[in-house]
Amino acid sequence: MNIILLGAPGAGKGTQATRIEENYGLTHISTGDIFRRHMRRQTEIGEEARSYIKKGLLVPDEVTLKIVKSALDEVHGKNFMLDGFPRNLNQAQQLDGIAKIDKVIDIRVDFDILTDRICGRRSCLDCGYTTHISVLGGANTCPKCGCEMTQRVDDREETVRSRLQVYATQTASLVEYYEKQGKLFTVDGMGTPDEVFAEIKKVLG
Ligand code: AMP
């Protein structure tokens, strides 16, 4: 079974993806993570993506599709979960031409909560563990590995506004796209991570 995790930035896709990967063995493909890896390594793709990511805009489809195709090649036929892709209609249509998707899970969170969630998000530079600043209790170290926790450049308030707008104008229409294909499952993302995962388990069986 191949799945897509839909949902606005801050809806908890990454958190749930980790649990789904552990429990269902689906290979996690996050286009945001792939772009961040490219930026850290300062590759050509990373340098091109950086200018868009810093502004909260979508990286052009041509570049994004290239990284997705190569990630799909690398799974070698194993089942996978896409997180952060597709993000517009063209990407969804292109994806239909290259892979078979069984279920799409839309994690729903009220828009007014998303800004606080995203701006308070801190990630470990080393192991990638992500949590909310309120959980760190003033410390700046990763509870898992002890390395430094930082804020993503695109998690600052001015960028978050444009990311949410991009979601509303370009990505939200995918809900209807997948509903028409009979693949859409909606999950309430307002609960604790455990509660949300319990809902997802009902969908995945
Ligand atoms: P994410 O970690 O999924 O929130 O992605 C971080 C940023 O990477 C986004 O705000 C976009 O700039 C870029 N990005 C990630 N996935 C895509 C995509 N499918 N299409 C275009 N840009 C993307």
Short mmCIF file of all heavy atoms in Angstrom, two decimals, residues 9 13 30-33 35-36 49 52-53 56-61 64 83-87 91 121 152 154 163, ligand 1:
data_model
loop_
_atom_site.label_atom_id
_atom_site.label_comp_id
_atom_site.label_asym_id
_atom_site.label_seq_id
_atom_site.Cartn_x
_atom_site.Cartn_y
_atom_site.Cartn_z
N PRO A 9 0.96 23.00 6.48
CA PRO A 9 2.19 23.01 7.28
C PRO A 9 1.80 23.07 8.76
O PRO A 9 0.91 23.83 9.14
CB PRO A 9 2.87 24.32 6.87
CG PRO A 9 2.29 24.67 5.54
CD PRO A 9 0.90 24.11 5.50
N LYS A 13 2.19 16.18 9.92
CA LYS A 13 2.50 15.12 8.95
C LYS A 13 3.80 14.40 9.29
O LYS A 13 3.87 13.18 9.26
CB LYS A 13 2.60 15.70 7.52
CG LYS A 13 1.32 16.34 7.02
CD LYS A 13 1.42 16.73 5.55
CE LYS A 13 2.46 17.78 5.26
NZ LYS A 13 2.16 19.11 5.84
N SER A 30 9.86 12.51 2.29
CA SER A 30 9.46 13.88 2.58
C SER A 30 10.24 14.82 1.66
O SER A 30 11.46 14.90 1.75
CB SER A 30 9.77 14.22 4.06
OG SER A 30 9.91 15.61 4.21
N THR A 31 9.51 15.51 0.78
CA THR A 31 10.21 16.40 -0.16
C THR A 31 10.89 17.55 0.60
O THR A 31 11.98 17.97 0.23
CB THR A 31 9.23 16.95 -1.22
OG1 THR A 31 7.99 17.29 -0.60
CG2 THR A 31 8.98 15.94 -2.31
N GLY A 32 10.25 18.02 1.69
CA GLY A 32 10.88 19.08 2.50
C GLY A 32 12.21 18.60 3.06
O GLY A 32 13.22 19.31 3.00
N ASP A 33 12.23 17.37 3.61
CA ASP A 33 13.49 16.82 4.16
C ASP A 33 14.54 16.67 3.07
O ASP A 33 15.73 16.95 3.29
CB ASP A 33 13.25 15.43 4.78
CG ASP A 33 12.56 15.51 6.14
OD1 ASP A 33 12.44 16.64 6.68
OD2 ASP A 33 12.12 14.45 6.65
N PHE A 35 14.81 18.41 0.28
CA PHE A 35 15.34 19.75 -0.04
C PHE A 35 16.28 20.26 1.04
O PHE A 35 17.32 20.84 0.74
CB PHE A 35 14.19 20.75 -0.23
CG PHE A 35 13.50 20.65 -1.57
CD1 PHE A 35 12.11 20.64 -1.66
CD2 PHE A 35 14.24 20.57 -2.75
CE1 PHE A 35 11.47 20.55 -2.89
CE2 PHE A 35 13.61 20.49 -3.99
CZ PHE A 35 12.22 20.48 -4.05
N ARG A 36 15.93 20.03 2.31
CA ARG A 36 16.81 20.51 3.40
C ARG A 36 18.17 19.79 3.36
O ARG A 36 19.20 20.39 3.61
CB ARG A 36 16.13 20.34 4.77
CG ARG A 36 15.11 21.44 5.06
CD ARG A 36 14.51 21.34 6.44
NE ARG A 36 13.55 20.25 6.56
CZ ARG A 36 12.27 20.32 6.17
NH1 ARG A 36 11.80 21.42 5.64
NH2 ARG A 36 11.46 19.28 6.29
N ALA A 49 16.56 25.54 -4.56
CA ALA A 49 15.39 25.41 -3.67
C ALA A 49 15.41 26.47 -2.57
O ALA A 49 14.37 27.00 -2.19
CB ALA A 49 15.38 24.01 -3.04
N TYR A 52 13.39 29.75 -2.81
CA TYR A 52 11.93 29.60 -2.70
C TYR A 52 11.53 29.26 -1.26
O TYR A 52 10.59 29.81 -0.73
CB TYR A 52 11.44 28.50 -3.65
CG TYR A 52 11.67 28.83 -5.10
CD1 TYR A 52 12.83 28.41 -5.75
CD2 TYR A 52 10.74 29.59 -5.80
CE1 TYR A 52 13.06 28.73 -7.08
CE2 TYR A 52 10.96 29.90 -7.14
CZ TYR A 52 12.11 29.48 -7.77
OH TYR A 52 12.33 29.81 -9.08
N ILE A 53 12.27 28.34 -0.66
CA ILE A 53 11.92 27.88 0.68
C ILE A 53 11.98 29.03 1.68
O ILE A 53 11.10 29.18 2.53
CB ILE A 53 12.84 26.70 1.09
CG1 ILE A 53 12.50 25.48 0.22
CG2 ILE A 53 12.71 26.37 2.58
CD1 ILE A 53 13.37 24.27 0.42
N GLY A 56 8.93 30.93 1.64
CA GLY A 56 7.69 30.19 1.89
C GLY A 56 6.94 29.83 0.62
O GLY A 56 5.75 29.53 0.65
N LEU A 57 7.66 29.85 -0.51
CA LEU A 57 7.01 29.53 -1.79
C LEU A 57 7.32 28.10 -2.20
O LEU A 57 8.28 27.50 -1.70
CB LEU A 57 7.53 30.48 -2.88
CG LEU A 57 7.33 31.97 -2.61
CD1 LEU A 57 8.01 32.81 -3.68
CD2 LEU A 57 5.82 32.29 -2.54
N LEU A 58 6.55 27.59 -3.15
CA LEU A 58 6.84 26.25 -3.65
C LEU A 58 8.05 26.28 -4.57
O LEU A 58 8.20 27.19 -5.39
CB LEU A 58 5.64 25.69 -4.43
CG LEU A 58 4.36 25.42 -3.66
CD1 LEU A 58 3.35 24.70 -4.55
CD2 LEU A 58 4.62 24.59 -2.40
N VAL A 59 8.89 25.27 -4.44
CA VAL A 59 10.00 25.09 -5.37
C VAL A 59 9.36 24.70 -6.71
O VAL A 59 8.34 23.98 -6.73
CB VAL A 59 10.92 23.95 -4.85
CG1 VAL A 59 12.05 23.68 -5.82
CG2 VAL A 59 11.46 24.31 -3.46
N PRO A 60 9.90 25.17 -7.86
CA PRO A 60 9.26 24.85 -9.14
C PRO A 60 9.05 23.34 -9.34
O PRO A 60 9.88 22.53 -8.92
CB PRO A 60 10.25 25.40 -10.17
CG PRO A 60 10.97 26.48 -9.46
CD PRO A 60 11.05 26.05 -8.01
N ASP A 61 7.93 23.02 -10.00
CA ASP A 61 7.56 21.61 -10.18
C ASP A 61 8.66 20.78 -10.84
O ASP A 61 8.86 19.61 -10.49
CB ASP A 61 6.28 21.51 -11.03
CG ASP A 61 5.06 21.96 -10.25
OD1 ASP A 61 5.19 22.21 -9.03
OD2 ASP A 61 3.98 22.04 -10.85
N THR A 64 11.09 19.77 -8.25
CA THR A 64 10.46 18.91 -7.25
C THR A 64 10.19 17.51 -7.83
O THR A 64 10.45 16.50 -7.18
CB THR A 64 9.14 19.56 -6.76
OG1 THR A 64 9.44 20.87 -6.29
CG2 THR A 64 8.53 18.76 -5.64
N ASP A 83 5.13 12.58 1.95
CA ASP A 83 4.84 13.62 2.96
C ASP A 83 5.30 14.96 2.38
O ASP A 83 6.48 15.15 2.15
CB ASP A 83 5.60 13.22 4.25
CG ASP A 83 5.84 14.37 5.21
OD1 ASP A 83 5.27 15.45 5.04
OD2 ASP A 83 6.64 14.16 6.16
N GLY A 84 4.33 15.83 2.08
CA GLY A 84 4.69 17.14 1.50
C GLY A 84 4.67 17.13 -0.01
O GLY A 84 5.03 18.12 -0.64
N PHE A 85 4.25 16.05 -0.61
CA PHE A 85 4.12 15.93 -2.06
C PHE A 85 2.93 15.03 -2.35
O PHE A 85 2.82 13.98 -1.71
CB PHE A 85 5.39 15.32 -2.68
CG PHE A 85 5.30 15.21 -4.18
CD1 PHE A 85 5.77 16.23 -4.98
CD2 PHE A 85 4.72 14.10 -4.78
CE1 PHE A 85 5.68 16.14 -6.37
CE2 PHE A 85 4.63 14.00 -6.17
CZ PHE A 85 5.11 15.03 -6.95
N PRO A 86 2.05 15.38 -3.28
CA PRO A 86 2.04 16.58 -4.12
C PRO A 86 1.51 17.79 -3.36
O PRO A 86 0.84 17.65 -2.35
CB PRO A 86 1.09 16.18 -5.26
CG PRO A 86 0.15 15.20 -4.65
CD PRO A 86 0.95 14.44 -3.63
N ARG A 87 1.81 18.97 -3.91
CA ARG A 87 1.38 20.21 -3.26
C ARG A 87 0.60 21.09 -4.22
O ARG A 87 0.19 22.17 -3.85
CB ARG A 87 2.61 20.97 -2.77
CG ARG A 87 2.85 20.82 -1.25
CD ARG A 87 4.12 21.55 -0.94
NE ARG A 87 4.23 22.05 0.38
CZ ARG A 87 4.94 21.47 1.34
NH1 ARG A 87 5.50 20.30 1.16
NH2 ARG A 87 5.06 22.05 2.52
N GLN A 91 1.46 18.59 -9.84
CA GLN A 91 2.25 17.53 -9.19
C GLN A 91 1.40 16.28 -9.00
O GLN A 91 1.89 15.15 -9.20
CB GLN A 91 2.78 18.01 -7.84
CG GLN A 91 3.84 19.12 -7.94
CD GLN A 91 4.38 19.55 -6.58
OE1 GLN A 91 4.04 18.99 -5.54
NE2 GLN A 91 5.23 20.56 -6.58
N ARG A 121 8.00 25.45 16.58
CA ARG A 121 8.66 24.18 16.26
C ARG A 121 10.18 24.32 16.32
O ARG A 121 10.74 25.29 15.84
CB ARG A 121 8.22 23.78 14.84
CG ARG A 121 8.66 22.44 14.39
CD ARG A 121 7.76 21.92 13.30
NE ARG A 121 7.79 22.70 12.08
CZ ARG A 121 7.03 22.42 11.02
NH1 ARG A 121 6.19 21.42 11.04
NH2 ARG A 121 7.11 23.15 9.94
N ARG A 152 13.71 26.13 12.01
CA ARG A 152 13.89 26.14 10.55
C ARG A 152 13.74 27.57 10.04
O ARG A 152 12.92 28.31 10.54
CB ARG A 152 12.80 25.28 9.90
CG ARG A 152 13.16 23.83 9.79
CD ARG A 152 11.98 22.96 9.42
NE ARG A 152 11.19 23.44 8.29
CZ ARG A 152 10.15 22.76 7.79
NH1 ARG A 152 9.79 21.60 8.31
NH2 ARG A 152 9.46 23.23 6.78
N ASP A 154 12.32 28.64 7.52
CA ASP A 154 10.98 28.95 7.00
C ASP A 154 9.89 28.79 8.07
O ASP A 154 8.71 28.86 7.76
CB ASP A 154 10.67 28.08 5.77
CG ASP A 154 10.76 26.60 6.02
OD1 ASP A 154 11.42 26.19 7.00
OD2 ASP A 154 10.17 25.83 5.24
N ARG A 163 3.50 30.53 3.63
CA ARG A 163 3.33 29.07 3.45
C ARG A 163 1.86 28.67 3.60
O ARG A 163 1.36 27.82 2.86
CB ARG A 163 4.19 28.30 4.46
CG ARG A 163 5.67 28.39 4.11
CD ARG A 163 6.53 27.89 5.25
NE ARG A 163 6.39 26.47 5.48
CZ ARG A 163 6.75 25.87 6.61
NH1 ARG A 163 7.26 26.58 7.60
NH2 ARG A 163 6.61 24.58 6.75
P1 AMP B 1 7.89 20.98 4.32
O1 AMP B 1 9.00 20.49 5.17
O2 AMP B 1 7.08 19.88 3.69
O3 AMP B 1 7.00 22.00 5.02
O4 AMP B 1 8.55 21.76 3.08
C1 AMP B 1 9.37 22.88 3.29
C2 AMP B 1 9.45 23.70 2.01
O5 AMP B 1 10.05 22.90 0.96
C3 AMP B 1 8.11 24.16 1.44
O6 AMP B 1 7.62 25.33 2.04
C4 AMP B 1 8.48 24.37 -0.04
O7 AMP B 1 9.20 25.57 -0.20
C5 AMP B 1 9.45 23.21 -0.30
N1 AMP B 1 8.69 22.02 -0.76
C6 AMP B 1 8.49 20.86 -0.09
N2 AMP B 1 7.73 20.01 -0.79
C7 AMP B 1 7.42 20.67 -1.95
C8 AMP B 1 6.64 20.35 -3.09
N3 AMP B 1 5.98 19.18 -3.17
N4 AMP B 1 6.56 21.25 -4.09
C9 AMP B 1 7.21 22.44 -4.03
N5 AMP B 1 7.94 22.82 -2.97
C10 AMP B 1 8.05 21.95 -1.92
#
